[in-house]
Each structure stands twice: as C-alpha cells, then as structure tokens.
Amino acid sequence: MPRILILGGTTEARILAGRLGSRPELDVTMSLAGRTASPAPQPVPVRVGGFGGREGLADYLRREGIDALIDATHPYAAVISANALAAARDAAVPVVVLRRPPWTAVAGDCWTLVDGVADAIAALGEAPRCVLVTLGRGELDPLVAAPQHHYLIRSVDPVEPPLAVPHAKYLTGRGPFAEADERALLTAHGIECIIAKNSGGTATYGKIAAARALGLSVIMLRRPTVPAAAAVDSVEDALAWLDHALAPAAARGV
Ligand code: NAP
C-alpha cells in the first residue's frame, strides 16, 4: 500500500489529508511541528515534532518506506520546506510543494513590503501608532525595540510571558476571520496599521479587506525564498500530482 507523508500545519494540508484519508488504498500520515498547544484535529494519523533536519527527514522517509512526500506547510515555514526538498532528493522520494498563492494588492490597498519583523517595526516610524500585529508568538521579540507603539497582538497561542513593552494587548484566535468582524476589531481598538504575513487564502484575508475599506496601511512581510521545486497551488492539483507520482512508470510514459 503506498505510503504518503504530508508535512502540515495548514488548512490545505488538513483538507488534502481528508481527501486522501478516505482512500483505503493509501496509507497517509500527517506530520506536525508541534508548535500549537491545541492543534486542529486531523483526519489521518499524526506524528508530531521535528525530524532532526534534512538528514533526519531523509532517514524517516527511508525507514518508513514513504512513497511520496507532500510539503503542505505554511509559505513562511522556509526551513522545513528546504529540508523537505533536500531530504526527498536524498531518499529518492517524489516530492511536491502545495502552497497557496500570495495575495496581491488591489486598488485601495496601502501596503509597505518588508523582509522581516525588525524591518516591519522600523517601518512604523518614531511616532507612536496603534498597530495590529498578526504574527506567531515566537516572532515578536523585535517589537521590544519600539516600545512607543500601542500593540494589539493576535496569535494562535497565548504570548507568555508577555512582551516587555508598556502598551500591549493580546488576543488569541485561529481563523477564519470574517471581514466585518475584522473591521469592528480595527475600529474598536483605533488601529492605524497592521503588520501581517502574506499568507494567501481566504481565512485571514478579512483583515486585509477591512484595512482597505478603512483606509489603513498594511506592513506586509514578504514571503521567504524557498528552493525551486515541483509546486502546485491547490488541493486538486496536489491530488493529481500524487496520482501521477504513484502511477506505474509505464503509465507515466517513463
Ligand atoms: P520552520 O521554521 O520552517 O521549521 C523549523 C523546524 O520545525 C524544522 O526544521 C522542523 O524541525 C520543524 N518542523 C516544521 N514543520 C514541521 C512539520 N510539519 N512536521 C515536523 N517538523 C516540522 O517552521 P515554522 O515556520 O516554525 O512553522 C512550524 C509549523 O507551523 C509548520 O508545520 C507550518 O506549516 C506551521 N505554520 C507556520 C506558520 C508560519 O507563519 N511560519 C503559520 C501557520 C502555520 P527539524 O529540523 O527537527 O525536522
């Protein structure tokens, strides 16, 4: 029975696992990093925790007899994506990246593109501003360098201990977030600017649309560069790739 490993942590990975998990001829495992305290339930068996870099993942692929690897991690999870590609090459396992397309700015958007959180904080300027920050709890240290701002920080897990800044409020939440709710949140907190990742998809786009409607600026972290690989941008295309990868060589015209 073909064994499939999905590197997950995203909505797409969960949807893909649901589609594959309903196929009795496949043995599908989802791998999660183990970052969140209460991860969303998964429709297939789950393994949790790092593999130990490129070599550890290559060993896992060989040891478990994995026939195809699908990297469906978040677009900003650059380390695991690079390791996945290299490990799959080392272990001679077919690999594809499932990555949702980025958002693109449309008329009315006011985006400043930056390369990292420290650059995002610098882009806020010296004058105090009210900022919604939608980053992971492990990415917030650069905020401490700019304590003059009023931060509203939303993350999946609580930020503990809180940041060493005098003006910070914390929210926990996991998308999807509706545009109307985002608009109400931004207005209620007098938000002037949002710091966000270009995650793509619909679940977290509400804040971007709400910012546009309210005339607020968005400081957008550019996506990290990851090594070139076979890539698809939808679950349907990932399923098609997998069927092709698992087909006998003759059927693939090899
Ligand atoms: P990262 O920086 O690319 O990876 C750091 C290390 O975490 C990897 O080297 C690997 O450890 C381990 N790891 C990451 N994803 C894994 C997975 N699916 N299964 C097993 N080990 C994994 O990753 P990250 O940005 O911290 O993201 C961690 C997870 O959260 C990812 O699965 C991602 O899909 C999800 N996520 C990330 C973001 C984001 O903004 N970065 C947002 C939403 C969800 P070893 O080297 O020991 O193998």
Side-chain angles (χ1 to χ4, degrees):
M1 182 182 290
R3 304 199 73 190
I4 317 300
L5 179 65
I6 303 173
L7 302 175
T10 59
T11 305
E12 288 77 10
R14 188 158 37 81
I15 294 170
L16 177 67
R19 297 285 296 275
L20 293 176
S22 64
R23 290 171 55 172
E25 78 279 13
L26 298 177
D27 178 349
V28 183
T29 300
M30 170 78 77
S31 176
L32 299 177
R35 294 279 189 281
T36 53
S38 51
Q42 299 290 337
V44 296
V46 173
R47 68 155 302 283
V48 179
F51 296 94
R54 166 183 178 166
E55 293 77 16
L57 180 52
D59 286 348
Y60 179 95
L61 296 174
R62 290 191 199 97
R63 191 172 65 243
E64 297 294 325
I66 300 296
D67 295 292
L69 175 63
I70 301 176
D71 171 14
T73 57
H74 193 270
Y76 287 76
V79 177
I80 188 70
S81 288
N83 287 348
L85 194 62
R89 198 183 308 126
D90 294 347
V93 170
V95 59
V96 73
V97 180
L98 167 57
R99 183 152 299 133
R100 48 183 112 130
W103 302 315
T104 50
V106 299
D109 279 330
C110 176
W111 293 6
T112 301
L113 303 181
V114 296
D115 281 325
V117 180
D119 288 350
I121 299 304
L124 289 172
E126 289 302 316
R129 303 180 76 186
C130 284
V131 190
L132 172 65
V133 180
T134 56
L135 301 175
R137 62 176 167 176
E139 302 168 309
L140 301 170
D141 285 352
L143 275 62
V144 174
Q148 72 274 28
H149 303 301
H150 290 248
Y151 296 109
L152 176 63
I153 297 165
R154 183 170 66 196
S155 52
V156 173
D157 285 310
V159 179
E160 286 166 357
L163 298 179
V165 292
H167 315 293
K169 293 180 188 162
Y170 300 91
L171 291 174
T172 53
R174 195 195 297 272
F177 301 106
E179 180 184 341
D181 295 339
E182 297 291 65
R183 211 168 153 154
L185 179 80
L186 296 170
T187 305
H189 290 270
I191 297 296
E192 301 165 89
C193 176
I194 299 174
I195 297 177
K197 291 177 178 172
N198 193 335
S199 296
T202 55
T204 59
Y205 189 70
K207 62 178 179 280
I208 306 298
R212 180 166 61 239
L214 295 169
L216 308 183
S217 58
V218 176
I219 299 178
M220 187 75 83
L221 273 60
R222 284 194 186 87
R223 287 188 173 191
T225 311
V226 288
V232 294
D233 63 12
S234 71
V235 168
E236 292 305 326
D237 286 349
L239 293 167
W241 174 89
L242 185 66
D243 285 338
H244 186 259
L246 296 179
R252 283 186 271 124
V254 177

